[in-house]
């Protein structure tokens, strides 16, 4: 992909490989792949980008400096959920919505067959916390966010040895 102008890059870090697609100004696509390093996934990203830079006849730094867009996605989170190897994760959500993760009709094999059991929850209910604050669809504040309330919740998470936090504020 020589003469790529301002490349657009899209990268996906998986459990085994890191895939990179590069689109140049003419709409040509280049595909590159490098092994993922589970202990440090950025290594796979940089290796895949280095392959693309080499293909364009540029140094890694020069190639990245030309980049117009860099989209990155990863399957690490879904892989961790599927294998049950997630960090001890808490869930923060808007007050009044502690069960938003449990309202998951889409994950049931037959959504309207109520004899089918729900799958195991993604996170334990005991690690779900509500915080104040609510905005509407236009971004206007309906209920003020209480910073002190959030700080006390964070302190509680520390006491519980939480390793990660998922946030869904409505």
């Amino acid at each position: 992909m020589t003469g790529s102008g301002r490349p657009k890059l899209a990268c996906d870090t998986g459990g085994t490989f890191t895939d990179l697609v590069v689109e140049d100004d003419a709409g040509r696509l280049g595909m590159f792949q490098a092994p993922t390093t589970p202990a440090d996934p950025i290594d796979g990203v940089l290796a895949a980008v280095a392959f693309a830079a080499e293909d364009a006849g540029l140094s890694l730094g020069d190639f990245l400096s030309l980049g117009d867009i860099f989209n990155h996605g990863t399957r690490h989170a879904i892989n961790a959920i599927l294998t049950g190897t997630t960090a001890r994760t808490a869930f923060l959500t808007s007050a009044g919505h502690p069960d938003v993760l449990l309202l998951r009709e889409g994950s049931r094999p037959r959504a309207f067959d109520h004899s089918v059991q729900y799958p195991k929850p993604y996170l334990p209910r005991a690690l779900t916390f509500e915080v104040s604050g609510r905005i509407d669809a236009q971004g206007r504040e309906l209920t003020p966010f209480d910073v002190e309330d959030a700080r006390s919740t964070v302190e509680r998470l520390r006491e519980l040895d939480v390793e990660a936090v998922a946030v869904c504020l409505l």
Side-chain angles (χ1 to χ4, degrees):
M1 294 188 60
T2 57
S4 59
R6 303 218 32 97
K8 296 177 180 82
L9 298 89
C11 186
D12 175 53
T13 305
T16 306
F17 292 105
T18 297
D19 302 303
L20 176 72
V21 175
V22 179
E23 180 183 15
D24 68 12
D25 288 340
R28 293 183 299 252
L29 298 177
M31 292 179 259
F32 306 90
Q33 188 177 68
T36 296
T37 306
D40 195 358
I42 192 63
D43 289 344
V45 173
L46 291 173
V49 176
F51 291 143
E54 181 181 334
D55 186 65
L58 299 168
S59 71
L60 177 61
D62 288 342
F63 184 73
L64 284 172
S65 70
L66 291 174
D68 193 34
I69 293 174
F70 191 105
N71 289 317
H72 179 259
T74 181
R75 291 175 294 225
H76 285 271
I78 193 67
N79 288 348
I81 290 169
L82 293 173
T83 60
T85 57
T86 57
R88 182 168 167 78
T89 304
F91 178 59
L92 299 184
T93 189
S94 297
H97 297 277
D99 296 318
V100 70
L101 287 181
L102 300 175
L103 303 174
R104 56 193 193 279
E105 295 295 323
S107 66
R108 288 174 56 168
R110 293 181 303 279
F112 298 106
D113 181 351
H114 298 290
S115 67
V116 175
Q117 293 295 313
Y118 278 108
K120 182 181 168 193
Y122 301 123
L123 301 172
R125 183 68 165 84
L127 291 177
T128 296
F129 298 87
E130 299 175 68
V131 293
S132 64
R134 183 96 184 232
I135 59 171
D136 68 13
Q138 289 70 42
R140 293 183 300 251
E141 187 176 62
L142 297 175
T143 306
F145 183 76
D146 185 336
V147 174
E148 288 308 314
D149 179 44
R151 283 190 179 127
S152 68
T153 300
V154 169
E155 286 304 317
R156 180 78 178 117
L157 299 180
R158 285 188 180 128
E159 293 168 6
L160 294 170
D161 294 323
V162 167
E163 300 168 300
V165 180
V167 179
C168 177
L169 301 177
L170 305 175

